[in-house]
Amino acid sequence: MCGIVGYIGPKNAVPIIMEGLKRLEYRGYDSAGIGCMIKGKLKVWKKEGQLANLEGILPEGLASNIGIGHTRWATHGGVTEANAHPQVGSRGKVSVVHNGIIDNYSALKKKLIGEGVAFTSETDTEALANLAEKFLGAGMAPDRAVRETLKLVSGTYGIVFLFTEHPDLIIGARNGSPLVVGVGDGEMFVASDANAIVRHTRQVVYLDDGETVVLTRDGFRTRDLRDAVVDKQVEEIDWVVEETGKNGYENYMLKEIFEQPEAVGRTFGGRLVPEFGTAKLGGLNLERRDFFDIRRVEIVAMGTAYHAGMIGSFLLESIARVPARAEIASELRCRNPIVEKETLYFVVSQSGETADTLLTLREIRNKGGRVMGVVNMVGSTMARESDGGVYIHAGPEMAVASTKAFTCQLMSFNLIALLFARMRDLSLAEGRALVREIQEIPDKMRRVLDQAEEIARIARKYKNAQSFLYLGRGPNYPVALEGALKLKEIAYIFSEGMSAGDVKHGPIALVSEETPVVMIAVKGDNLDKTISGMMEINARKGRIIVVTNVDDERITRIAEDVIRIPETRESLSPLLTVIPLQLLAYYIAVELQRDVDRPRNLAKSVTVE
Ligand code: F6R
């Protein structure tokens, strides 16, 4: 979602901010802006659309030693230059960049208008710039003005203030939306994501909710909203800054789809114990004896991560025989979750910042539940706030549509299920067999990827369809949901994923020659029933595209197109079946000339509820 970068120090802030914003670009945004101090005056440039548009209006040789920048994903107010950030107070004394949503902004705005303040945007953020200005005008120092402003606010923010009359400091604050301070040598950075500043410093301080920070060139001071000093640890970023280029691919999504064999290899690398047919996951912080007390597992997440969680619950039940279920995080919160001592909770998140998932994590922990994270972003809020977990090691995922994070989440759940299963009923021999099959997955994924051209051909054939259905059973039912989600989000084609068993209870009325039906039919307990479903679709003239690992005459006879994948056990099959669906959505989107990496209306990480 929105991105923030700020700098104060001896260097030129402008390229540092622009480069930092570029590194956050993948999160999705629809306008961008930068504000900096030049010869004692605040200068602000803002532009709708891509960062390149903003770059295009910056004066040549623009230089400043202090500045703040922002990429905005519209929430309050449309995509306009006026609504882009920085938002500046009516007297031009305070400028603000803000991620999050201020719930009570209309009341604040109304009051300020009553006091004669003129507003120029539709944003919630502008009220904060004006409030801070009001407090400055009453003689308060900038840090106090910020605290008094934030005390009046209800909502979420990662926020950074710049003060025209105090060009030697920047103030940041956090409540529900991440903010990280980068500590340099005679220079300081602030950003909504460490990725934006890690090229300049590896010394960082993660703000927690309710904290503010004053940055000067020489250091930082953190306090809470009551002005009490908060001692913060400077942490060293120990992850490698991975190359985030496209590596010769046309766009990030294709690169990330093709990176999956290596990525899932990283997920299980060093974590399999072939000798004992199990997995070791030290990050869970669970003693062996703890496993006796776990009676059930509950997994919460949103979107693609939720689909991975659904498969995770299938794996835990079918392999480890632990009752498990997955829930959409936002729905669980609607129900005032019942938290139980014997339940182990998992949150699944690529970004580690998704508001709905994070708030659920906090609700469960506040009620005494033990929560594990299955997270990609190292140092993210969920990674820091959970009781333990598994980093999925997918590497940076830049395309808005999640692909490699999904398969790495699946691989993580396979490891978790294997570990649980070996602590329960799974025999050593069965555990070893599963370890071997897991090790074979990257190669099998490569064999699926080898069929990209054939899948591109199928995409060309169906690209003009108005709607698609995706059907799967067992662990491939969530894969059907995921395939449909991919097509919706990047090709903007209406598509519905559903259980192959449920389709005849209503949705089959949608089937006609016009609706391609993508079916997943893999070897295992569900094959025959899936093939019967296929017959029913065929009898209603549905055009069937099958993803399958069986050579069955019944399939070849009725399917219009067949995508063959290597054989593996059913519980591991989603790692392979999802790839053709990712590629199909990708190639259809390319055919329709969509912006594959940055689909309309979407953001990479959704940090608002
Ligand atoms: C779809 C997609 C989203 C995310 C969801 C959760 O391609 O990317 O559905 O999966 O917003 O995001 P994370 O995993 O960051 O919590």
Side-chain angles (χ1 to χ4, degrees):
M1 222 150 198
C2 313
I4 291 177
V5 185
Y7 174 81
I8 178 166
K11 298 186 192 130
N12 184 1
V14 178
I16 293 173
I17 292 169
M18 291 303 288
E19 192 243 355
L21 291 178
K22 269 189 199 135
R23 296 184 68 82
L24 302 182
E25 242 188 330
Y26 70 96
R27 291 170 154 254
Y29 64 101
D30 35 44
S31 58
I34 184 167
C36 48
M37 296 300 301
I38 293 173
K39 297 194 182 121
K41 290 210 164 68
L42 172 72
K43 298 280 182 189
V44 171
W45 290 269
K46 303 195 283 192
K47 201 72 191 155
E48 294 156 34
Q50 308 288 308
L51 272 173
N53 301 354
L54 175 64
E55 239 159 6
I57 59 164
L58 295 182
E60 209 159 309
L62 178 63
S64 168
N65 299 126
I66 178 167
I68 54 178
H70 191 254
T71 45
R72 171 176 188 255
W73 188 76
T75 54
H76 288 71
V79 183
T80 63
E81 220 167 283
N83 289 338
H85 299 198
Q87 285 292 317
V88 184
S90 64
R91 293 182 223 161
K93 307 222 174 214
V94 177
S95 50
V96 179
V97 290
H98 165 222
N99 293 353
I101 288 181
I102 304 305
D103 298 326
N104 61 338
Y105 87 99
S106 30
L108 298 173
K109 185 169 175 175
K110 205 162 154 199
K111 186 152 187 290
L112 285 162
I113 290 173
E115 290 166 12
V117 176
F119 278 74
T120 55
S121 83
E122 303 157 279
T123 64
D124 48 349
T125 308
E126 194 181 3
L128 305 189
N130 279 306
L131 270 176
E133 255 182 22
K134 175 177 149 178
F135 290 123
L136 277 183
M140 288 182 197
D143 57 338
R144 176 140 181 244
V146 167
R147 283 195 305 275
E148 294 307 319
T149 299
L150 297 179
K151 278 186 203 164
L152 298 177
V153 157
S154 84
T156 53
Y157 50 80
I159 192 165
V160 175
F161 294 79
L162 189 66
F163 302 88
T164 309
E165 284 165 2
H166 302 269
D168 50 354
L169 55 85
I170 287 176
I171 298 184
R174 166 186 171 142
N175 187 46
S177 192
L179 206 65
V180 59
V181 171
V183 182
D185 189 7
E187 58 183 355
M188 299 292 289
F189 306 81
V190 62
S192 50
D193 180 332
N195 268 309
I197 52 174
V198 66
R199 304 228 146 198
H200 304 287
T201 177
R202 291 190 156 270
Q203 310 290 314
V204 294
V205 177
Y206 293 102
L207 286 200
D208 286 307
D209 284 350
E211 292 175 357
T212 66
V213 63
V214 177
L215 305 178
T216 58
R217 281 179 174 219
D218 303 319
F220 70 96
R221 213 180 56 222
T222 37
R223 289 176 189 264
D224 65 17
L225 291 186
R226 286 166 314 172
D227 200 22
V229 173
V230 184
D231 279 329
K232 301 291 288 183
Q233 286 277 324
V234 177
E235 295 177 39
E236 170 94 21
I237 294 180
D238 56 6
W239 34 272
V240 184
V241 187
E242 282 172 76
E243 232 354 283
T244 49
K246 292 186 191 147
N247 206 9
Y249 287 93
E250 261 159 66
N251 41 50
Y252 284 115
M253 186 173 175
L254 192 63
K255 169 179 173 261
E256 286 157 10
I257 291 173
F258 272 85
E259 268 173 5
Q260 292 179 103
E262 290 71 37
V264 300
R266 277 197 301 273
T267 310
F268 69 68
R271 286 168 163 171
L272 290 171
V273 193
E275 192 189 350
F276 298 112
T278 188
K280 67 170 189 280
L281 297 168
L284 291 179
N285 303 325
L286 289 175
E287 296 295 325
R288 281 174 211 182
R289 289 205 174 87
D290 292 339
F291 286 85
F292 292 118
D293 302 328
I294 300 169
R295 291 281 151 81
R296 56 180 66 245
V297 167
E298 195 156 329
I299 303 168
V300 287
M302 301 301 294
T304 289
Y306 165 65
H307 299 154
M310 287 174 82
I311 298 171
S313 70
F314 177 94
L315 298 173
L316 278 153
E317 285 206 352
S318 62
I319 304 174
R321 306 301 295 153
V322 189
R325 65 174 177 164
E327 281 262 4
I328 294 177
S330 55
E331 290 300 321
L332 185 66
R333 285 186 72 231
C334 289
R335 287 208 313 273
N336 183 15
I338 300 165
V339 174
E340 292 170 319
K341 196 167 158 233
E342 303 82 15
T343 300
L344 185 64
Y345 296 86
F346 283 90
V347 289
V348 192
S349 177
Q350 188 286 127
S351 62
E353 305 293 349
T354 301
D356 288 308
T357 314
L358 177 61
L359 293 171
T360 313
L361 175 155
R362 287 182 181 155
E363 174 74 1
I364 296 169
R365 289 199 79 223
N366 278 337
K367 290 180 170 178
R370 180 137 54 153
V371 185
M372 301 292 157
V374 176
V375 171
N376 192 31
M377 288 297 292
V378 178
S380 58
T381 310
M382 279 183 231
R384 290 183 297 116
E385 293 194 13
S386 48
D387 295 288
V390 178
Y391 275 124
I392 66 170
H393 298 313
E397 193 178 61
M398 311 296 278
V400 164
S402 187
T403 53
K404 63 175 180 170
F406 177 72
T407 41
C408 291
Q409 286 158 357
L410 292 188
M411 184 51 86
S412 304
F413 276 114
N414 272 286
L415 301 181
I416 294 165
L418 174 62
L419 172 65
F420 271 74
R422 286 288 290 128
M423 301 306 276
R424 293 171 182 244
D425 293 339
L426 198 76
S427 71
L428 176 59
E430 287 167 322
R432 282 182 176 159
L434 191 46
V435 166
R436 276 195 300 278
E437 284 206 47
I438 288 175
Q439 287 167 329
E440 288 167 5
I441 287 294
D443 258 353
K444 291 181 177 174
M445 285 179 140
R446 284 186 195 100
R447 281 158 57 198
V448 182
L449 290 166
D450 284 345
Q451 298 180 65
E453 266 182 38
E454 168 61 6
I455 297 168
R457 181 195 66 76
I458 298 173
R460 283 193 291 277
K461 181 169 161 190
Y462 296 99
K463 67 175 189 209
N464 292 322
Q466 297 297 302
S467 59
F468 278 70
L469 294 179
Y470 287 74
L471 307 179
R473 269 176 191 269
N476 283 300
Y477 159 45
V479 175
L481 298 181
E482 177 60 10
L485 175 60
K486 290 287 93 88
L487 191 68
K488 281 175 220 177
E489 59 182 336
I490 62 164
Y492 319 149
I493 295 178
F494 184 84
S495 45
E496 192 74 341
M498 54 191 98
S499 142
D502 201 30
V503 69
K504 55 184 166 300
H505 298 277
I508 201 161
L510 294 170
V511 172
S512 74
E513 279 160 336
E514 263 90 66
T515 314
V517 183
V518 182
M519 297 196 71
I520 305 162
V522 295
K523 201 166 182 178
D525 298 342
N526 295 303
L527 182 64
D528 283 336
K529 285 193 214 114
T530 304
I531 293 177
S532 310
M534 220 176 269
M535 307 276 186
E536 288 154 16
I537 302 285
N538 183 52
R540 282 149 190 90
K541 298 198 167 53
R543 300 172 74 187
I544 300 173
I545 306 161
V546 184
V547 176
T548 187
N549 57 11
V550 289
D551 203 0
D552 191 307
E553 175 275 328
R554 290 171 296 174
I555 295 179
T556 34
R557 190 158 36 85
I558 56 175
E560 197 166 318
D561 293 282
V562 180
I563 303 168
R564 296 202 180 275
I565 59 165
E567 214 180 296
T568 186
R569 66 174 69 202
E570 192 173 16
S571 61
L572 286 169
S573 66
L575 284 155
L576 305 181
T577 54
V578 75
I579 295 176
L581 307 195
Q582 295 168 342
L583 285 170
L584 186 65
Y586 172 81
Y587 286 119
I588 292 178
V590 169
E591 284 293 324
L592 298 177
Q593 297 181 351
R594 309 294 194 222
D595 184 347
V596 177
D597 282 341
R598 285 183 234 132
R600 70 182 183 201
N601 304 343
L602 295 181
K604 182 65 183 159
S605 96
V606 184
T607 49
V608 291
E609 275 182 89

